[in-house]
Amino acid sequence: MLKKAMIGALVCGAAQLAVIAPAAATTDPSWYLGPAELGPGEQIYAETKAAAGGCTPDGPVTSPGLAEPIGWTIGGNFGKYGGFGHVVKTPGKYVATLTCTDGRKSTRTFTVVGVPPSSTTKPPKTTKPTAAKPKPKPQVTVKPAGAPQTGGGFGAMSWDW
């Protein structure tokens, strides 16, 4: 009777694995690509953690919206793979693809928007002449009366024993 119960449990467990395994293989791996909106030529970051719902990448992240594929240059705990890249200069909505070693492919979208603010912008010209601000009056300097008043040194303490 014990043998039959053990064989029944073994068959039931194997049947559960057969049902669960194909479902796990078709899940979308967890990975990040961002930020979701960027200016032309800005930096973008990709990351996945193989041991935390992600996958082991089978090559770089690719997209027509990337200046070049994002290679995996950062590693870490939980099978972390991370890397930086730059987006193209042409505005639009783009799809990036991650391919896993187990055959899964996953996509994320990002948008390249307008023109980024220039770092060489000139301040607007004003038509009014700017008036010079009056200089503040100098403060009167106070000389310290001695070490006890300034909190300095061992000799500043008063020991009443």
Side-chain angles (χ1 to χ4, degrees), residues 53-131:
C55 72
T56 302
D58 186 26
V61 173
T62 58
S63 171
L66 296 172
E68 59 185 40
I70 299 174
W72 305 106
T73 58
I74 302 169
N77 295 336
F78 304 104
K80 176 181 176 178
Y81 294 86
F84 290 94
H86 286 87
V87 298
V88 295
K89 296 187 183 209
T90 308
K93 190 169 189 173
Y94 297 95
V95 176
T97 304
L98 166 68
T99 303
C100 303
T101 55
D102 62 6
R104 292 181 289 169
K105 288 189 178 195
S106 179
T107 61
R108 299 288 184 267
T109 59
F110 63 95
T111 306
V112 177
V113 294
V115 179
S118 174
S119 61
T120 60
T121 58
K122 295 180 182 178
K125 293 184 178 181
T126 58
T127 55
K128 289 188 203 177
T130 56

